[in-house]
Amino acid sequence: MDIQSTTSLRIADWRPRFRVLLLAAMVLPLVAVSPARMSTAAPRVQPVLLAMAQQAPNSMVGVIVQKSTADKSMENLIAGLGGTVTKDLHIINAFAARVPAKAVPQIANAGGVRWVSLDAPVDKSGNMSTTGQFTTWASELVASSTSSISSGFTSTTIHAGSYLWFNSVVKVSGVGTAPVTVNFDNAEAEISMLGQVFKSPIPGAIITFSPSATTATSSYDAVVGKWRTTVPARLNGSDVFLSGASVRIPSDIPGSAISAVLSGRFTTDTAGVTVAGWQWAASTYSNFSNDYNALGVKPCDDSTASQYRNSDNAGTPENYKAYVVPGARGNGGTNYTGDYSPSASMTPARLFTDAANMVDAGAGPNVTYGYGTNAVQTFAGFLAEKSPNEKISKVEVALKAYVPTRLSSVEDPKLSMVVGGVTVSNVTLQNTAFDTFVGAASAGMVYVNVTGTRAWTWGDFDNSLQMTLNQSSFAGNHPVYYDAVGLRVTTVAGTDTTGGTMPVTQANNMVDSSKLLNVYNRAVRATDVWAGASGTQLQGQGVGVAVVDSGIVPTEDLKERVIGAVNFDDDEHESGDSFGHGTFVAGLVAGDGTASNGQYVGMAPGSSIVSVRVSGDDGVSTEADVIEALQWVYENKSRHNIRIVNLSLNSSMAQSYHTSPICAAVEVLWFNKVVVVVSAGNNGTANLFPPANDPFVITVGATDDKGTVALSDDTIAPFSAYGTTENGAVKPEIVAPGTRLIGFLPQNAETEIGRLHPEARVNDNYFRMSGTSMAAPVVAGAVALLLQDEPNLNPDQVKYRLMSTAAKSDRWAGYTGAQAGAGYLDILAAVTSTSTQAMNTGTRASQLLWTGSQPVNWSSVNWSSVNWSSVNWSSVNWSSVNWSSVNWSSDYWQP
């Protein structure tokens, strides 16, 4: 069902489902409790915890204890009361613990306590695991090295708004009487223009030579982003269409393209097949279609085999020939594809048949199989979820597989692990391991220990880690079918500081705004910033964005720009993001549109992402998890150049920012030059929950862009929360599109949100979501563009710049100050502004961060960079604290 046609507002929630229903049983019956002051005269604790101590004294409860001391006396007290310290939260001089509820009053009255907050419920066992485990799935096939061909263009000016049609053909030799498949992937064009290099993805291709085919056909598969061509086997050695892509010249980059380089990798599933000749051409068109299936591309030159009856070159756009003009490598007229480049030849690496099905999602098994007999295949794209304070103790290859019939005694697959080009482990997998998996219905998991004698480190995953599956010794025609190939990693307590890299700096993407199917990028004028209307082409290169969420699968749209992944959830994880929310949010920030041929592009397609996981595969999260994650961001911000944190999550506890541990943690980041972007929440009322109610951070509300670029019909989304903070500041500070945004979420039917909300699935790879959790990454990506342009801006200056340039009633008829704050995000106006004024001057910092008139002096936090003259350390009006019940939830969304 199309969500856009639904008449009623459907609001679902990404709410952690707690391990036990302790909270529901204990919080709901509570009566109102009077607010408490943070003083020595009264217990320094949330009243809800005192009530829990009275009603269920023997229950175990999660608490966050902020200390007034620097020693371990409070941790020792917890142990003496029968509790367990679970997390060190030194960013706010605190720790998380599980304690008997009856011990809470004693803890609250202890001399070394400043404040005790309720954390999420704990598991009923009360025991902490001494090991951790996660599985990371291969997201990339490693084939032969990438091939490339460079060629120049004519001197004819390519006018702004024109289209370049890149077209490539191949001659394949070695085709016999059996079907042959040749694959082309990892393809892109680098175009030199006006002294700059721009890159544009080229769709991959699958060519099938079929002995039974009599007519050649070509079509573009928009779901997987690849051309599919089928040709008669007799066209062995003839020019056959490989791949084509249109690139629109932006209006602010007129002039001549000087040259281009096309690159890509060839693979095949058949021995003896070679690419005898690969060439590309480029021609210029005054008009073109973004629907590649409307072009009428000619699959071959052979008139007896082609679906078109003429002698034009393979790859000719039959239906758009009337629009060809001089330029690129063509002179117009009848030269519809342009002159071809020099030819390159290579031997494609041999892969398993349908090998792409073994890495099609990066999220693990999805019941699509690749298979092979005596073939060799290498896998990569493994993303480690680094667990702080843990080190790797064991690495196992994880194979979801089956065999049609039992393998023979000599058919033993060989597994090799390679790190940095050096083989570190060789293991033989006994053929009998598949004996219990005969037949597709019996497919199951096979685990193979490849640890060897190596002391594995987190950094190994950033050093060209590859796994090779070698079945070349198979004697019979006995294939093994593989659904997915991964690594299961077991960890133990220990120290390993390796892992993660700095942001990747690369050429700008040549984005064609006319292809974009979402309009939010154009509504906030990000496309103008990309294209250079601001005077500089900005796409976020060099800027790191930490996405604190459910994890991330390294999709084709993110690739090597996922520069780190860290985990703060103790559960075993079946993939980098089985839930799906974090991957979707990361795509809105930084997706480059590769998988959709430029139809779905994030706000900062050149920025880099750090995945900071705080939830399990089912979305379970705790307040302490989030604080520990923010602590890690603080400690690693320089290592990964993290300038922005995106928090598409909210607590449902309506409490003062002066007592919220999360608010205290985000302020520490803010004071140390990290911009914190937070979703406002989706209750549709004047109620804000931490950290959205913190006066320092940028809180983001959502608009409905109505599917149009113009702001004239845009309205505030009915679910978008708003309100006023204790110091009178209006929240949200800014609004951005957050309704029915479509993003890349591969194999979303296998994710938790895909299973819960099948109506939000656009297709297998694209998903539709709404909520302030979607508006927040729009703003986070916009901040990445601004900080690429002006890296010396501090968070207060960034906040002022966005607010002072936002569209109000002069440009947006739907503006209402109470719900939209400063107005509608306009990143072009923000980038072109020269203001260096700052927000937040005189704003009270969280009282959890100070005593008297000075901030707490903790050795774990660097306060030297903070301009304390802008922070008001005066007393707090404690009567404003709302001590409502606690029910931690991380997100609401409306598809």
Side-chain angles (χ1 to χ4, degrees):
M1 179 177 65
D2 186 352
I3 295 301
Q4 297 185 43
S5 65
T6 304
T7 56
S8 61
L9 179 65
R10 300 177 57 88
I11 296 190
D13 64 319
W14 176 45
R15 176 178 299 170
R17 288 159 296 286
F18 295 128
R19 299 174 182 87
V20 293
L21 297 178
L22 175 64
L23 195 63
M26 297 180 61
V27 173
L28 295 180
L30 296 180
V31 296
V33 182
S34 300
R37 294 177 180 272
M38 193 179 293
S39 68
T40 58
R44 296 172 294 278
V45 60
Q46 290 182 359
V48 67
L49 281 169
L50 297 179
M52 295 170 85
Q54 294 174 356
Q55 296 183 20
N58 295 319
S59 300
M60 296 296 289
V61 62
V63 295
I64 297 174
V65 181
Q66 193 194 35
K67 305 185 295 183
S68 59
T69 62
D71 59 28
K72 297 295 183 181
S73 59
M74 285 310 306
E75 288 89 338
N76 294 335
L77 174 63
I78 295 295
L81 294 173
T84 304
V85 174
T86 58
K87 292 182 183 292
D88 173 17
L89 307 177
H90 53 264
I91 190 174
I92 57 172
N93 204 38
F95 60 86
R98 295 178 290 187
V99 300
K102 62 186 178 184
V104 168
Q106 187 174 345
I107 297 169
N109 283 295
V113 168
R114 296 191 73 242
W115 195 252
V116 184
S117 303
L118 178 66
D119 193 17
V122 299
D123 63 76
K124 53 189 175 185
S125 69
N127 297 319
M128 292 188 65
S129 172
T130 58
T131 63
Q133 198 168 75
F134 68 89
T135 303
T136 174
W137 299 97
S139 60
E140 181 181 352
L141 297 173
V142 178
S144 54
S145 59
T146 299
S147 301
S148 63
I149 303 176
S150 176
S151 193
F153 285 179
T154 68
S155 60
T156 304
T157 298
I158 302 173
H159 296 288
S162 299
Y163 294 84
L164 294 181
W165 168 244
F166 285 98
N167 163 65
S168 54
V169 296
V170 291
K171 290 184 175 72
V172 176
S173 297
V175 176
T177 57
V180 170
T181 298
V182 174
N183 302 279
F184 181 65
D185 64 6
N186 206 39
E188 71 176 21
E190 288 192 353
I191 306 165
S192 297
M193 181 177 291
L194 299 182
Q196 298 185 58
V197 176
F198 299 88
K199 68 182 184 71
S200 180
I202 299 294
I206 302 172
I207 303 177
T208 301
F209 290 85
S210 172
S212 62
T214 58
T215 301
T217 59
S218 289
S219 63
Y220 180 73
D221 187 337
V223 174
V224 299
K226 294 183 178 182
W227 288 93
R228 296 184 183 273
T229 298
T230 300
V231 295
R234 65 176 177 79
L235 291 182
N236 175 67
S238 299
D239 279 333
V240 174
F241 173 68
L242 176 65
S243 179
S246 67
V247 178
R248 190 170 187 266
I249 303 301
S251 59
D252 51 355
I253 312 181
S256 296
I258 300 171
S259 62
V261 179
L262 257 67
S263 58
R265 298 186 302 195
F266 289 91
T267 60
T268 184
D269 61 356
T270 305
V273 170
T274 62
V275 172
W278 169 45
Q279 298 174 283
W280 65 265
S283 51
T284 306
Y285 286 73
S286 61
N287 185 31
F288 221 64
S289 175
N290 289 329
D291 178 3
Y292 284 173
N293 285 317
L295 300 180
V297 168
K298 183 177 178 178
C300 67
D301 295 343
D302 187 339
S303 62
T304 64
S306 173
Q307 60 191 15
Y308 301 102
R309 302 304 179 188
N310 56 52
S311 59
D312 293 341
N313 291 333
T316 299
E318 294 287 326
N319 300 334
Y320 277 77
K321 293 191 298 185
Y323 300 102
V324 69
V325 296
R329 295 185 58 80
N331 56 9
T334 59
N335 196 349
Y336 307 126
T337 56
D339 295 332
Y340 278 97
S341 67
S343 177
S345 301
M346 71 286 298
T347 300
R350 185 181 174 192
L351 302 186
F352 283 44
T353 300
D354 295 330
N357 286 336
M358 301 159 75
V359 297
D360 48 5
N366 62 352
V367 200
T368 60
Y369 290 85
Y371 62 94
T373 52
N374 57 341
V376 179
Q377 178 63 64
T378 301
F379 302 86
F382 301 100
L383 182 66
E385 287 190 309
K386 178 178 180 179
S387 296
N389 304 316
E390 294 185 17
K391 61 182 181 180
I392 298 173
S393 62
K394 184 167 65 174
V395 177
E396 300 167 279
V397 170
L399 305 169
K400 176 69 180 294
Y402 76 89
V403 291
T405 185
R406 288 191 178 188
L407 301 178
S408 69
S409 59
V410 296
E411 293 175 320
D412 297 330
K414 306 294 192 299
L415 300 173
S416 299
M417 302 301 302
V418 177
V419 176
V422 177
T423 299
V424 299
S425 177
N426 285 306
V427 175
T428 298
L429 173 58
Q430 297 298 316
N431 64 86
T432 54
F434 298 98
D435 285 354
T436 57
F437 306 120
V438 178
S442 299
M445 293 300 306
V446 177
Y447 294 99
V448 188
N449 191 335
V450 292
T451 309
T453 59
R454 180 177 181 79
W456 286 83
T457 68
W458 298 115
D460 290 338
F461 286 83
D462 303 309
N463 191 17
S464 302
L465 175 63
Q466 298 179 358
M467 192 280 284
T468 298
L469 176 58
N470 186 341
Q471 296 180 173
S472 59
S473 64
F474 276 31
N477 187 26
H478 293 168
V480 182
Y481 285 75
Y482 297 96
D483 186 347
V485 175
L487 298 176
R488 186 168 70 174
V489 179
T490 303
T491 65
V492 295
T495 301
D496 179 4
T497 60
T498 65
T501 60
M502 286 291 284
V504 176
T505 301
Q506 54 191 8
N508 274 336
N509 298 280
M510 184 75 85
V511 180
D512 181 356
S513 297
S514 68
K515 288 184 179 180
L516 296 175
L517 297 185
N518 285 318
V519 302
Y520 68 88
N521 288 324
R522 288 168 284 172
V524 301
R525 300 208 286 179
T527 50
D528 294 323
V529 176
W530 303 339
S534 60
T536 307
Q537 290 84 35
L538 303 172
Q539 295 184 359
Q541 282 87 345
V543 180
V545 183
V547 175
V548 179
D549 216 292
S550 64
I552 292 174
V553 170
T555 70
E556 190 175 358
D557 281 14
L558 297 173
K559 289 184 179 176
E560 73 277 6
R561 289 183 296 111
V562 180
I563 59 173
V566 64
N567 167 55
F568 294 94
D569 179 81
D570 295 330
D571 289 345
E572 179 180 350
H573 297 150
E574 294 300 327
S575 87
D577 181 18
S578 292
F579 197 76
H581 190 275
T583 302
F584 189 92
V585 166
L588 294 182
V589 175
D592 66 8
T594 295
S596 62
N597 188 34
Q599 293 180 329
Y600 300 107
V601 181
M603 281 291 294
S607 63
S608 296
I609 293 293
V610 179
S611 172
V612 185
R613 181 172 187 156
V614 294
S615 72
D617 289 346
D618 60 356
V620 171
S621 186
T622 72
E623 188 163 343
D625 291 336
V626 176
I627 297 169
E628 189 180 29
L630 296 174
Q631 177 173 282
W632 182 90
V633 170
Y634 168 77
E635 294 170 344
N636 291 272
K637 58 187 176 65
S638 298
R639 180 178 192 146
H640 305 295
N641 196 33
I642 299 174
R643 300 298 310 276
I644 305 147
V645 171
N646 185 88
L647 289 166
S648 288
L649 51 81
N650 302 105
S651 170
S652 63
M653 179 179 180
Q655 62 173 322
S656 167
Y657 78 92
H658 288 290
T659 61
S660 166
I662 290 183
C663 287
V666 297
E667 287 186 19
V668 172
L669 285 174
W670 189 274
F671 297 155
N672 284 277
K673 300 184 179 179
V674 178
V675 179
V676 182
V677 180
V678 177
S679 56
N682 300 315
N683 56 60
T685 66
N687 292 289
L688 298 169
F689 304 94
N693 66 327
D694 189 273
F696 286 91
V697 303
I698 299 173
T699 301
V700 183
T703 63
D704 185 347
D705 58 32
K706 308 295 185 183
T708 64
V709 175
L711 304 187
S712 57
D713 59 351
D714 291 16
T715 59
I716 296 291
F719 52 77
S720 187
Y722 57 96
T724 304
T725 65
E726 293 159 63
N727 64 343
V730 174
K731 290 273 186 175
E733 279 84 6
I734 201 165
V735 294
T739 306
R740 294 181 297 279
L741 304 189
I742 296 176
F744 185 37
L745 186 58
Q747 296 299 322
N748 50 68
E750 304 302 317
T751 65
E752 182 72 3
I753 57 174
R755 286 189 289 267
L756 291 172
H757 304 286
E759 72 277 5
R761 298 180 59 238
V762 178
N763 54 44
D764 286 347
N765 291 327
Y766 291 90
F767 204 71
R768 181 186 293 108
M769 293 182 71
S770 297
T772 58
S773 287
M774 280 58 259
V778 172
V779 173
V783 174
L785 302 179
L786 179 58
L787 288 177
Q788 181 193 2
D789 190 46
E790 299 179 67
N792 292 324
L793 292 177
N794 65 42
D796 291 323
Q797 292 171 317
V798 168
K799 184 174 178 178
Y800 182 91
R801 186 74 69 85
L802 294 184
M803 293 176 67
S804 64
T805 57
K808 298 181 177 61
S809 54
D810 56 335
R811 289 181 286 156
W812 176 33
Y815 173 73
T816 57
Q819 294 175 280
Y824 209 122
L825 173 67
D826 185 341
I827 187 55
L828 177 62
V831 167
T832 54
S833 171
T834 58
S835 171
T836 57
Q837 290 181 253
M839 294 296 297
N840 297 332
T841 299
T843 300
R844 297 185 184 98
S846 166
Q847 192 166 344
L848 294 183
L849 300 184
W850 62 283
T851 55
S853 61
Q854 296 297 325
V856 178
N857 183 19
W858 306 324
S859 60
S860 60
V861 176
N862 176 19
W863 297 112
S864 61
S865 63
V866 179
N867 178 14
W868 292 113
S869 63
S870 68
V871 179
N872 185 348
W873 296 103
S874 61
S875 61
V876 179
N877 178 11
W878 285 92
S879 63
S880 65
V881 179
N882 180 3
W883 297 105
S884 65
S885 63
V886 180
N887 183 12
W888 167 254
S889 66
S890 292
D891 183 39
Y892 290 81
W893 61 280
Q894 176 254 327

